[in-house]
Amino acid sequence: MSLWLIAPEKSLAMPSLRRIVKKILVLGGTTEAREIAAQLVAAGHVVTSSLAGVTRNPLLPVGKVRIGGFGGSDGLRAYLQHETIELVVDATHPFAAQMSHNASLAVQNSHVQLLRFERPAWHPMPDEHWTMVNSLADAARDVPTGAKLFVTSGRKGLACFFDRADLSGVMRMVEPPTERVPPGWRILLDRPPHRFAEELALFQAEGFSHVISKNAGGVATRAKLDVARKLGLAVVMVQRPCKPPCESFSDVKALILRLGTSGDNG
Ligand code: NAP
């Protein structure tokens, strides 16, 4: 049964408009997910944001928050039914492919609508030296002997770099890695946003030869690429994994507008 609630529109300019209030689950863990949750709450929707629970002190969105996995797509489907969720907004990171697959499966053959927010990917400028690869393992294979790397791909899948004794460098992430870190590597625990001036100072102090990055997109972690461009350094860019097709937005405002007011049931 659908749970449409009709809330009076607060705008004095258009007193006759009535807004449809939805029960929404935002799959989060990104800056934009927090932005989306804030705008949906401000629009009067009943919003729960979900975080994976991998970060110890996560930045919390406004609205209700739940933390931890659902137990695969079946677990998520059961949660959606139990909480009578009408709309899922998948605003997970472009590399959080498992969660997006689970969301896609969980809403199949149900009345739950699924929308995705995905920030636009980065593209190289003509004077940038990027090698595109499909995985971190390919990135580790691609770099030349003795390279000094700046690795910004998160805490998972780093063993392929550690396995090459000739490589060294700095790895930046929010939470420490689970692997033992061999000599020659330094772990830098830090959270975005990272600004150009600080990135430039880090690059100059460390003397990196290559940057290893996932194609996360967005502005918060873009500065390292701008510095690499300025210094003429090579970038090895891991391409995004495929996510299942669904109605997607690359702009928060467009997604919010899609939900609309006055009778647009999405
Ligand atoms: P993933 O590989 O796609 O998902 C692994 C499992 O973690 C999922 O099957 C699910 O467990 C749980 N999970 C993931 N996102 C969740 C969420 N928002 N709420 C509840 N459970 C969630 O995900 P990941 O790459 O490890 O990323 C984990 C979280 O960190 C995501 O929320 C993502 O937005 C954020 N993040 C990821 C990256 C990245 O580079 N991957 C970067 C920045 C932020 P169950 O199967 O038990 O439900």
Side-chain angles (χ1 to χ4, degrees):
M1 191 183 74
S2 185
L3 280 181
W4 301 111
L5 306 171
I6 308 293
E9 174 60 56
K10 284 186 192 138
S11 162
L12 292 174
M14 293 191 289
S16 62
L17 263 187
R18 293 170 82 78
R19 179 192 292 136
I20 292 184
V21 173
K22 290 188 174 191
K23 282 191 88 176
I24 301 175
L25 175 69
V26 178
L27 299 172
T30 59
T31 308
E32 294 89 346
R34 289 192 294 278
E35 211 177 308
I36 289 166
Q39 293 202 28
L40 292 175
V41 168
H45 295 291
V46 179
V47 179
T48 301
S49 291
S50 176
L51 304 179
V54 287
T55 306
R56 267 170 299 168
N57 293 307
L59 300 173
L60 293 178
V62 298
K64 216 168 125 188
V65 178
R66 65 162 300 288
I67 297 182
F70 296 94
S73 58
D74 289 344
L76 177 56
R77 193 198 316 269
Y79 175 90
L80 298 177
Q81 278 169 4
H82 185 260
E83 298 294 322
T84 60
I85 299 291
E86 300 161 272
L87 166 68
V88 176
V89 178
D90 176 4
T92 54
H93 190 270
F95 279 79
Q98 185 61 55
M99 190 67 243
S100 295
H101 278 278
N102 291 354
S104 176
L105 282 174
V107 302
Q108 262 177 27
N109 304 317
S110 80
H111 295 297
V112 183
Q113 186 190 3
L114 175 65
L115 299 180
R116 181 178 302 140
F117 171 82
E118 194 159 68
R119 57 173 93 121
W122 293 316
H123 297 285
M125 311 279 269
D127 59 343
E128 286 181 293
H129 314 286
W130 291 14
T131 304
M132 310 296 191
V133 295
N134 289 321
S135 66
L136 284 177
D138 287 349
R141 269 191 291 273
D142 184 79
V143 288
T145 305
K148 181 156 188 193
L149 308 181
F150 183 35
V151 182
T152 62
S153 55
R155 69 201 285 260
K156 293 200 280 187
L158 301 173
C160 53
F161 298 104
F162 296 154
D163 286 347
R164 271 190 58 180
D166 61 303
L167 300 179
S168 63
V170 173
M171 294 178 163
R172 184 170 63 199
M173 58 200 76
V174 178
E175 296 291 330
T178 45
E179 290 103 334
R180 192 187 69 81
V181 179
W185 289 98
R186 183 163 79 84
I187 303 297
L188 190 54
L189 297 181
D190 201 0
R191 246 186 234 270
H194 305 292
R195 306 201 190 290
F196 184 88
E198 286 103 64
E199 297 289 57
L200 182 59
L202 177 69
F203 276 59
Q204 285 171 337
E206 296 286 346
F208 300 128
S209 60
H210 292 70
V211 176
I212 311 290
S213 175
K214 295 199 234 179
N215 199 330
V219 291
T221 58
R222 162 85 221 184
K224 66 191 170 204
L225 303 175
D226 298 332
V227 171
R229 180 179 176 212
K230 181 182 170 66
L231 301 178
L233 299 184
V235 172
V236 183
M237 187 63 75
V238 182
Q239 298 300 92
R240 292 178 172 190
C242 287
K243 292 197 173 192
C246 94
E247 189 177 349
S248 298
F249 298 82
S250 57
D251 178 60
V252 171
K253 207 191 282 177
L255 186 145
I256 301 295
L257 277 175
R258 170 70 176 84
L259 296 178
T261 53
S262 68
D264 178 1
N265 292 357

